[in-house]
């Protein structure tokens, strides 16, 4: 059932991000990973299964989503993964005291354009605290009318487009969706831009 509780569904973008993690599973042991907007937590759970130290997070205003994160951990025999209430665009004690991270994961967090600025505010804060970290994100292209490129420039962030074929995620059955309409899933890696803008 589609409603405002986006975190109750395994979106195709989560499957694609999980495929990317699986393709890079050899590099994950010992990495410190934070999944934002985790919902049912497929990418974060997979990262933990591959040996990463994972923290799952979703909005502190959506306790049901946080409970879904916990359930996913229990069902996957990962009861010790921390679950953090983290609301985009808000500096909370949990965000301020967060351990250093190497990778931030976000599948389909770029869903509603009204949230884009808050998402990038939080991502920028995390990347500035962890300058060598990267934000690995997948999203469905739902409209040709929106783009985050201008926001990335404003926040001094850069992105690299990752072709789905480069990690075997370009097959229709991998992330096909029963949702109305057919939408393209895209992946990018976002990091801090250098002082010269590169």
């Amino acid at each position: 059932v589609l409603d405002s509780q986006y975190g109750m569904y395994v979106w195709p973008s989560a499957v694609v991000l999980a495929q990317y993690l699986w393709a890079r599973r050899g590099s994950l042991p010992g990495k410190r990973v934070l999944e934002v907007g985790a919902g049912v937590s497929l990418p974060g759970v997979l990262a933990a299964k591959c040996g990463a130290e994972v923290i799952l997070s979703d909005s502190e205003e959506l306790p049901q989503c946080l409970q879904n994160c916990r359930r996913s951990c229990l069902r996957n025999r990962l009861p010790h993964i921390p679950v953090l209430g983290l609301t985009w665009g808000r500096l909370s004690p949990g965000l301020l005291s967060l351990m250093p991270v190497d990778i931030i994961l976000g599948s389909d967090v770029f869903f509603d354009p009204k949230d884009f600025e808050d998402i990038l505010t939080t991502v920028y804060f995390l990347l500035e605290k962890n300058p060598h970290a990267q934000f690995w994100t997948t999203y469905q292209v739902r409209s040709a009318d929106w783009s985050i490129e201008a926001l990335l420039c404003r926040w001094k962030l850069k992105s690299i487009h990752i072709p789905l074929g480069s990690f075997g995620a370009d097959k229709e059955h991998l992330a096909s969706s029963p949702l109305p309409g057919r939408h393209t899933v895209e992946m990018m890696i976002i990091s801090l831009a250098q002082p010269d803008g590169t």
Side-chain angles (χ1 to χ4, degrees):
V1 176
L2 295 179
D3 60 17
S4 61
Q5 301 298 317
Y6 306 131
M8 308 298 163
Y9 182 84
V10 178
W11 294 88
S13 295
V15 178
V16 171
L17 187 54
Q19 177 73 12
Y20 186 77
L21 289 161
W22 182 249
R24 277 143 190 79
R25 64 191 175 275
S27 68
L28 293 175
K31 294 285 190 208
R32 295 162 305 199
V33 174
L34 169 69
E35 184 175 3
V36 296
V40 294
S41 314
L42 175 62
V45 164
L46 180 62
K49 290 279 191 178
C50 291
E53 299 172 34
V54 174
I55 294 177
L56 301 174
S57 71
D58 211 312
S59 174
E60 57 198 337
E61 298 167 0
L62 298 173
Q64 196 172 0
C65 287
L66 294 170
Q67 189 57 37
N68 272 350
C69 292
R70 292 182 187 98
R71 280 193 198 109
S72 291
C73 291
L74 292 174
R75 289 202 173 127
N76 286 281
R77 297 184 184 100
L78 299 165
H80 302 297
I81 292 181
V83 176
L84 174 69
L86 178 69
T87 301
W88 300 324
R90 185 179 302 159
L91 287 179
S92 63
L95 178 63
L96 293 171
S97 63
L98 198 62
M99 69 173 193
V101 295
D102 300 304
I103 301 166
I104 306 157
L105 301 175
S107 64
D108 233 348
V109 295
F110 295 109
F111 183 90
D112 189 338
K114 73 176 176 53
D115 295 327
F116 291 1
E117 184 95 41
D118 287 340
I119 294 162
L120 289 176
T121 300
T122 300
V123 167
Y124 179 80
F125 176 82
L126 291 165
L127 292 175
E128 198 168 52
K129 274 182 70 172
N130 305 276
H132 300 291
Q134 296 179 328
F135 178 38
W136 296 359
T137 185
T138 52
Y139 59 95
Q140 281 186 274
V141 178
R142 293 180 172 84
S143 170
D145 295 336
W146 61 256
S147 168
I148 64 166
E149 297 303 319
L151 288 173
L152 291 176
C153 288
R154 182 183 314 156
W155 284 101
K156 298 179 177 67
L157 298 169
K158 65 178 180 177
S159 67
I160 300 170
H161 179 263
I162 307 296
L164 301 192
S166 69
F167 56 99
D170 56 344
K171 297 166 182 60
E172 185 175 328
H173 73 276
L174 181 74
S176 61
S177 172
L179 298 175
R182 300 281 310 152
H183 302 288
T184 302
V185 175
E186 299 285 343
M187 176 164 184
M188 69 173 90
I189 293 177
I190 295 173
S191 57
L192 287 177
Q194 300 301 317
D196 64 0
T198 60

